Amino acid sequence: MLKIHKNYIFSLLLILGFTIGGCNEKEIIPQYTIEVPDNLGGYLPQNGRNKFTEKGVLLGEKIFFDQRFSSNGKVSCATCHEPERAFTDGLALSNLGVSGKALNRNSPTLANVAWAVGLFWDGGALNLESLSFGPLTHVDEMNNDLDSLVDWLSNDPEYSPLFLEAFPALGVSSASISRALAQFQRTLISANSKYDQYTRTDENIFSAAEKRGLQLFTQHCSSCHETDHLTDFDYHNNGLDSEFNDTSLEEVFMGRYRISRDERDIGKYKTPTLRNIALTAPYMHDGRFPTLESVLIHYAKGVQDSETLSPILKDGEQLGIKLSPKEQSEIIEFLHTLTDEEFINNY
Amino acid sequence: MYASTLVLALSVTSCNDTKELDKGTLIIQFENLLDGEALKFEGTRYNRDQVDFQIAVLKYYISNVKFLDETGQVIYTEEESYHLLEETASRKDLAIELTELEVQEVSSIEFSIGIDPEKNLSLDNTGDLDPSNEMAWNWDTGYKFLLMEGEIFESEGTRKGMVYHIGGNENYKTIKKEVNTKIKAGTTTTIEIKAEVLSLFDAPHYININEVNVAMGGENASKIAENYANNFFSINTPN
């Protein structure tokens, strides 16, 4: 949210852009770029065809929390992406949608989603501007119809001027709904955790256990959960299963293969960011692990072999990562330093 | 902490409101056929591969329309050229109208079935590309290029869905057809193009619709795409 970033460590660069909507009608739309700390690359990526405007971001935020965008008036994006849980819902497989039927995958965090290269666990959605149509219309999510949404919004005295101000050329349209949501979601920046403070300014704020945890993490985990985004934006099989024979539901259980159709991608999923990980249980694409302890036990003892298992998790006959119980708990101590209270309270 | 910078960006699109009278119009009129006869929808059963079937909806994108002269040179390219053609029992939307055209001889036209890779990257589009047309995939960004849905009746009482959703950049196909026509000032010229549904399943790849009643991506979708590139469309040349 823009007003927050002002009293945060970020600042706004005001760019004035002139856009021309129709013949000889000039309009001035102030556009913003948002700076972010150096350890996240210094600037916030945006989509060239949907640059930030203050009005666009605020409209997107309003839509994100508005349950009237669902067919029964009870579900918003925030129903499954709750700020207090770093924009997740606490369920293994969410049944919070209109139908009450469980989805097939776990609701991921939206923290730092501006940097994501592919969206969804298999990277099927290419950008935020394209993704929103899925949840807005899916029967098990918000179950709405884009035409009736546009009808409602065009006649709504509160919303229709907001759309015209934020998107003078598009007005109320399915494209502008999605663009506003995308602008807002890109401002969900988590960059002020204890870990960020440790790397940016103050090495003394980590306890001895947290420091050892970070060391172990760097040694064993960060080849995939690369700092400081805590993801390499790539797809791996981290050994959850040994077989991927279930081709039902348009191959949703086959991982990245469903999108790339490359057999080497069977069972691979996107490396999730671990930012705010202590708040986003349960874990993995299907929410199978309830706690961080169970995740660490998986990496230490539970890794399953298969054709596509990441070589990093396999050393000859030895599967997984050798970690003593003490080392596991030190890594967990470190993972807790990725919680960003400022983000949760003032996103 | 950070310095503010002020950047001025100015983009100007020129305005051209003058309508000229020495321009012509071309309508490309599509007609969907099944076995050479006008396609009929639910209520009419067809037979192929030892089963009865009926069709509920047929939609496809025709895009990037161009005209070529007799040397093969492109002489006209439609801007933002994306047309969703759609037919159901109650709806028929099968014409592409091109206006304000230069008077000229057109030897052939070129168009594609589907959406070019550049546009297929993002769904926040309007008009015929608006996702409200229900031609966008919701878990794999991109458009369905051709959608045909219906039902197959294996034997009395047992029926199953017939669902063909063909998309993906590899299935974007460009087609060129000789038309030998002329754009005339102040006049509308019409080109008729027939689209034969059975040729989606015929050649070069024979597809048994009872065995392959669903194709949404993968090998069978690509076969159907090769079929639509091959022989789906035929031109009724004037005279």
Side-chain angles (χ1 to χ4, degrees):
Chain A
M1 210 160 72
L2 294 177
K3 71 173 194 292
I4 301 309
H5 292 144
K6 282 183 207 144
N7 59 31
Y8 199 180
I9 56 158
F10 307 140
S11 79
L12 299 173
L13 301 188
L14 178 64
I15 297 178
L16 280 179
F18 290 82
T19 11
I20 294 174
C23 275
N24 300 326
E25 265 173 56
K26 286 188 192 163
E27 287 178 72
I28 299 169
I29 309 170
Q31 299 183 342
Y32 291 86
T33 55
I34 299 169
E35 286 209 348
V36 298
D38 282 346
N39 65 319
L40 290 185
Y43 70 96
L44 184 59
Q46 48 175 326
N47 182 336
R49 56 192 250 157
N50 184 29
K51 296 235 169 100
F52 297 112
T53 64
E54 182 166 11
K55 295 205 159 97
V57 172
L58 292 173
L59 175 59
E61 178 176 18
K62 192 172 162 65
I63 298 171
F64 191 89
F65 290 95
D66 191 339
Q67 301 177 338
R68 290 175 297 170
F69 279 75
S70 63
S71 66
N72 66 357
K74 291 184 178 151
V75 182
S76 72
C77 306
T79 304
C80 303
H81 301 286
E82 294 169 50
E84 315 81 78
R85 298 178 193 269
F87 296 85
T88 63
D89 58 13
L91 299 169
L93 298 174
S94 186
N95 60 357
L96 302 177
V98 167
S99 67
K101 209 177 133 220
L103 296 172
N104 298 305
R105 290 189 184 148
N106 178 258
S107 308
T109 180
L110 302 182
N112 297 350
V113 74
W115 282 271
V117 177
L119 298 157
F120 291 147
W121 284 96
D122 53 21
L126 296 177
N127 45 56
L128 292 166
E129 281 76 7
S130 301
L131 180 142
S132 299
F133 303 113
L136 286 169
T137 59
H138 195 289
V139 286
D140 300 323
E141 293 176 74
M142 294 162 78
N143 189 37
N144 222 325
D145 168 83
L146 296 175
D147 286 330
S148 41
L149 265 182
V150 169
D151 273 356
W152 160 55
L153 293 167
S154 312
N155 293 311
D156 187 83
E158 196 188 350
Y159 267 114
S160 72
L162 294 178
F163 273 93
L164 286 166
E165 285 167 22
F167 300 98
L170 285 172
V172 180
S173 67
S174 31
S176 49
I177 295 171
S178 186
R179 287 188 186 187
L181 280 168
Q183 287 188 28
F184 166 64
Q185 291 175 88
R186 285 200 182 91
T187 68
L188 300 176
I189 304 158
S190 174
N192 207 18
S193 65
K194 188 172 181 185
Y195 168 72
D196 291 297
Q197 291 162 24
Y198 168 84
T199 28
R200 278 202 302 265
T201 47
D202 187 359
E203 299 218 351
N204 297 320
I205 61 171
F206 263 18
S207 70
E210 287 165 348
K211 275 191 185 149
R212 279 195 304 275
L214 171 57
Q215 254 167 26
L216 290 163
F217 184 85
T218 309
Q219 190 183 343
H220 298 295
C221 317
S222 69
S223 52
C224 299
H225 299 284
E226 250 171 59
T227 50
D228 280 346
H229 278 293
L230 285 306
T231 168
D232 58 357
F233 304 107
D234 208 344
Y235 306 86
H236 303 278
N237 172 352
N238 69 342
L240 296 175
D241 295 303
S242 55
E243 284 182 357
F244 305 92
N245 301 329
D246 186 349
T247 58
S248 64
L249 297 170
E250 300 181 88
E251 301 174 329
V252 72
F253 304 112
M254 305 200 57
R256 176 73 180 155
Y257 168 78
R258 170 199 219 202
I259 303 301
S260 69
R261 314 221 56 98
D262 180 340
E263 288 186 1
R264 290 168 298 185
D265 286 341
I266 292 176
K268 289 189 185 171
Y269 288 87
K270 186 170 71 174
T271 312
T273 179
L274 301 183
R275 286 187 169 274
N276 302 294
I277 194 71
L279 303 174
T280 64
Y283 302 108
M284 304 298 169
H285 68 271
D286 53 5
R288 68 176 66 188
F289 297 130
T291 58
L292 287 173
E293 285 72 20
S294 50
V295 170
L296 268 294
I297 290 171
H298 161 73
Y299 280 114
K301 295 193 195 149
V303 168
Q304 307 287 306
D305 201 5
S306 66
E307 299 247 313
T308 57
L309 176 64
S310 166
I312 298 168
L313 297 172
K314 193 174 176 179
D315 183 7
E317 291 300 291
Q318 177 71 39
L319 295 176
I321 301 170
K322 247 197 178 144
L323 292 168
S324 68
K326 178 162 171 283
E327 290 172 320
Q328 293 175 33
S329 65
E330 285 166 344
I331 291 180
I332 292 171
E333 296 257 337
F334 161 70
L335 293 176
H336 276 89
T337 71
L338 296 167
T339 300
D340 181 352
E341 290 298 333
E342 189 140 15
F343 170 63
I344 301 314
N345 296 313
N346 294 329
Y347 51 85
Chain B
M1 163 169 278
Y2 299 103
S4 286
T5 43
L6 182 67
V7 181
L8 283 176
L10 182 65
S11 80
V12 182
T13 48
S14 69
C15 294
N16 194 342
D17 287 336
T18 46
K19 282 220 164 65
E20 290 161 67
L21 292 167
D22 54 349
K23 298 284 166 90
T25 297
L26 178 76
I27 290 178
I28 310 176
Q29 180 67 54
F30 286 76
E31 190 187 359
N32 294 323
L33 305 179
L34 199 144
D35 205 10
E37 302 287 324
L39 176 60
K40 295 205 177 62
F41 290 84
E42 282 153 315
T44 300
R45 290 194 185 186
Y46 296 104
N47 188 280
R48 187 178 187 261
D49 302 318
Q50 279 87 55
V51 288
D52 282 354
F53 68 97
Q54 65 181 23
I55 292 174
V57 52
L58 175 61
K59 290 159 98 170
Y60 46 89
Y61 277 111
I62 298 295
S63 64
N64 296 313
V65 179
K66 294 178 183 151
F67 301 165
L68 290 79
D69 68 13
E70 72 285 350
T71 67
Q73 199 82 3
V74 175
I75 51 175
Y76 167 80
T77 305
E78 189 193 17
E79 299 285 318
E80 281 293 301
S81 180
Y82 302 99
H83 305 274
L84 178 58
L85 305 188
E86 177 171 0
E87 191 172 4
T88 63
S90 57
R91 178 174 182 146
K92 195 163 180 166
D93 195 352
L94 295 176
I96 296 175
E97 186 177 340
L98 307 170
T99 56
E100 302 280 302
L101 300 172
E102 298 288 337
V103 169
Q104 56 191 344
E105 302 273 343
V106 179
S107 302
S108 34
I109 61 167
E110 194 183 282
F111 59 85
S112 300
I113 179 157
I115 307 300
D116 48 274
E118 200 187 317
K119 205 70 169 187
N120 205 30
L121 278 175
S122 199
L123 304 178
D124 51 329
N125 296 311
T126 52
D128 284 6
L129 293 178
D130 192 313
S132 65
N133 293 311
E134 300 187 346
M135 287 294 274
W137 260 296
N138 58 22
W139 48 265
D140 188 0
T141 299
Y143 290 91
K144 298 163 193 170
F145 298 169
L146 177 139
L147 173 151
M148 187 167 102
E149 292 173 356
E151 262 187 312
I152 290 180
F153 307 88
E154 283 172 291
S155 57
E156 225 30 67
T158 55
R159 42 172 75 188
K160 63 184 179 191
M162 185 182 194
V163 184
Y164 304 107
H165 292 178
I166 318 299
N169 293 342
E170 67 285 4
N171 295 326
Y172 175 75
K173 305 284 181 189
T174 299
I175 289 152
K176 198 170 124 183
K177 292 281 177 196
E178 218 173 284
V179 293
N180 295 317
T181 191
K182 193 170 175 305
I183 310 294
K184 299 183 201 106
T187 308
T188 299
T189 309
T190 303
I191 298 174
E192 285 173 21
I193 298 186
K194 311 258 184 225
E196 170 57 58
V197 169
L198 289 183
S199 66
L200 294 173
F201 307 100
D202 246 359
H205 307 287
Y206 189 89
I207 290 169
N208 180 314
I209 59 163
N210 191 27
E211 284 164 15
V212 184
N213 62 313
V214 176
M216 307 197 255
E219 204 187 324
N220 286 319
S222 293
K223 285 182 178 168
I224 293 175
E226 280 165 32
N227 289 351
Y228 62 57
N230 177 41
N231 212 15
F232 187 34
F233 299 111
S234 59
I235 294 263
N236 246 14
T237 27
N239 319 320

